[in-house]
Amino acid sequence: MKQQLENLKNEFIENITTIDSPEALENLEKNFLGKKGKLNDILKGIKDLSNDDKKIIWPEANKLKMFISEEVTNKKIAIQEAKYAKLEEDEKIDVTAEYPSNNKGHKHPISITSNLLEEIFISLGFRIEDGPQVEDETHNFDKLNIPDNHPARDVWDTFWVSDDINKNKEAGKKNLLRTHTSPVQIRTMLKWELPIKIIVPGRVFRYEQEDARHTCNFYQLEWLVVWKGVTFGDLKWTLDTAMKKLLWDSTEVRFRPSIFPFTEPSAEIDISCQLCKWSGKVKWENCKMCSATGWVELLWAWMVHPKVLKDAWVDPEEYSGFAFGMWIDRIAAQRFWVSSSRMFYQSKLKLNEQF
Ligand code: DAH
């Protein structure tokens, strides 16, 4: 029987070396140590042995049982380790590997332009303010001197938040997608931290018929200065300096009188069209950006209306201010010679990758 045990051990050793899966290992263990396994098969004959022989065989059988159990445990660990080593190898990530450079993302032309504008204004001592894109009627209209039923409200084709939400709200509290960045003027003045010298870059929304200059959402940059004795001269200097830094020296700027309920007087400011110039003409007959006029409307501005100051608890007898609004998309189109600002929103990689 001792020989039988010896043979069984050898057979086990031979078998276990070829095993490489947990399932096969389990079967092997069952085959050797299970109730109906090979070891028990041999031990069935133990009852026929003499007491002296039994004393020799029992410890031998136990030793073999322990040996098999231990080998099975070791093999189990070895199989696990091999599995994880393979996984590690297969899923290895080399964080230092170089990413193919043509797949690198980069900033969108509107972000590039917005960042440039921010840099220019920060260098002139302005700071950046932000406001909510879902605004209320008071900040978007009323406090900018555009009360309910004022005809000027029609100028801004407004996206109102759904009737379900707005129907229970009192006038002034109704929500809309802000039509311009001007409400942030009000939010800043209401904080009453004078002097104010801010810019507000941000996304605005209008129910527009889309064309080369108009899109349903676009980006504006608002500037506001409020302090004692601020004059039109300050406005002109700021405008000249910013435009010189932003555009080419040869760019011409012209003022046209206009009407805005929140500035008095008011002006629209055009720049000479860079797309026409690029085509080698002052007025390029195919230019969609300026409709072949040679001028692009880029800014609106002038002195903050005293009523707007007063409604924001700023005393117009003591303080004055100027405010501008400009369209970042149109500036981006002018800077990058893109014929339609609508193209910026069409996820055209071919276009965006050029800048
Ligand atoms: N908020 C105006 C618009 O979107 C533009 C504007 C006009 C802004 C005059 C100003 C301003 O700050 O002074 O049409």
Side-chain angles (χ1 to χ4, degrees):
M1 196 172 276
K2 209 174 165 194
Q3 189 56 47
Q4 271 178 304
L5 292 177
E6 193 64 35
N7 292 347
L8 189 66
K9 186 177 178 180
N10 288 339
E11 188 187 339
F12 171 78
I13 292 170
E14 212 173 282
N15 281 334
I16 200 165
T17 45
T18 58
I19 290 224
D20 60 1
S21 77
E23 296 78 27
L25 188 65
E26 209 175 301
N27 282 338
L28 182 81
E29 192 179 15
K30 225 170 159 183
N31 207 4
F32 281 79
L33 296 186
K35 254 190 194 159
K36 292 179 184 163
K38 294 185 181 209
L39 183 62
N40 271 350
D41 241 13
I42 297 173
L43 294 180
K44 265 181 203 159
I46 210 165
K47 59 182 186 316
D48 303 326
L49 296 181
S50 69
N51 276 350
D52 283 350
D53 282 348
K54 277 183 192 164
K55 272 188 197 153
I56 298 170
I57 294 300
W58 271 127
E60 285 295 325
N62 265 337
K63 236 161 82 186
L64 179 59
K65 198 173 169 184
M66 296 260 287
F67 172 78
I68 293 178
S69 294
E70 257 170 43
E71 285 301 297
V72 167
T73 308
N74 288 345
K75 189 76 180 184
K76 216 182 254 173
I77 295 169
I79 291 173
Q80 282 278 4
E81 277 175 356
K83 179 178 148 192
Y84 286 120
K86 186 170 181 316
L87 260 180
E88 223 169 81
E89 192 54 39
D90 290 352
E91 296 180 3
K92 195 149 96 182
I93 298 170
D94 180 358
V95 288
T96 63
E98 205 172 313
Y99 197 64
S101 60
N102 55 355
N103 281 339
K104 249 189 226 162
H106 66 83
K107 282 187 185 156
H108 189 277
I110 292 181
S111 302
I112 297 173
T113 312
S114 186
N115 290 356
L116 177 73
L117 285 162
E118 286 165 23
E119 266 172 37
I120 291 175
F121 282 97
I122 286 170
S123 78
L124 292 174
F126 284 71
R127 66 186 169 80
I128 300 173
E129 272 287 337
D130 201 5
Q133 292 183 4
V134 179
E135 242 320 342
D136 60 46
E137 213 177 350
T138 305
H139 289 89
N140 198 82
F141 290 130
D142 299 272
K143 287 228 175 243
L144 286 163
N145 202 19
I146 317 170
D148 201 9
N149 298 329
H150 191 291
R153 280 210 185 191
D154 291 343
V155 178
W156 291 274
D157 299 301
T158 312
F159 282 118
W160 292 90
V161 165
S162 90
D163 280 350
D164 284 353
I165 295 172
N166 270 344
K167 71 173 177 245
N168 296 326
K169 295 195 167 157
E170 54 192 89
K173 298 254 165 61
K174 294 197 192 309
N175 287 123
L176 49 97
L177 298 185
R178 67 175 179 192
T179 55
H180 46 182
T181 42
S182 302
V184 187
Q185 291 188 22
I186 306 301
R187 290 186 175 275
T188 310
M189 283 194 275
L190 286 172
K191 286 192 214 159
W192 234 85
E193 288 163 4
L194 292 158
I196 294 169
K197 212 173 160 192
I198 58 152
I199 53 163
V200 186
R203 192 176 185 184
V204 302
F205 308 84
R206 291 192 201 168
Y207 184 56
E208 289 280 9
Q209 181 76 36
E210 298 216 340
D211 62 25
R213 279 167 307 194
H214 300 93
T215 47
C216 283
N217 83 89
F218 54 98
Y219 287 80
Q220 286 192 332
L221 185 88
E222 192 86 13
W223 339 343
L224 174 70
V225 173
V226 180
W227 189 228
K228 293 177 186 166
V230 173
T231 66
F232 178 66
D234 299 312
L235 174 152
K236 188 97 192 343
W237 181 87
T238 312
L239 177 72
D240 277 352
T241 313
M243 287 299 118
K244 272 203 189 106
K245 286 191 176 208
L246 180 67
L247 300 164
W248 293 264
D249 279 349
S250 56
T251 309
E252 287 173 65
V253 178
R254 77 174 184 189
F255 279 67
R256 282 182 293 119
S258 183
I259 299 173
F260 285 103
F262 41 97
T263 46
E264 180 57 38
S266 309
E268 289 179 11
I269 300 153
D270 303 331
I271 62 153
S272 50
C273 180
Q274 302 304 306
L275 289 163
C276 290
K277 192 184 287 171
W278 182 57
S279 78
K281 296 181 179 162
V282 179
K283 292 181 192 179
W284 175 35
E285 59 283 6
N286 293 330
C287 187
K288 292 199 188 84
M289 189 43 85
C290 69
S291 307
T293 59
W295 294 97
V296 186
E297 200 177 321
L298 208 65
L299 292 132
W300 300 264
W302 225 311
M303 307 308 286
V304 181
H305 197 293
K307 180 159 183 341
V308 172
L309 293 175
K310 213 151 125 195
D311 286 352
W313 313 112
V314 178
D315 182 359
E317 300 292 329
E318 205 177 338
Y319 298 97
S320 53
F322 63 80
F324 281 86
M326 68 202 277
W327 291 29
I328 299 177
D329 315 46
R330 289 192 190 171
I331 294 172
Q334 288 287 307
R335 272 193 70 85
F336 295 121
W337 287 330
V338 172
S339 59
S340 159
S341 45
R342 190 160 38 150
M343 288 164 83
F344 289 136
Y345 297 101
Q346 293 168 335
S347 299
K348 290 192 171 169
L349 282 180
K350 247 188 183 169
L351 174 89
N352 292 346
E353 274 169 0
Q354 295 174 44
F355 312 112

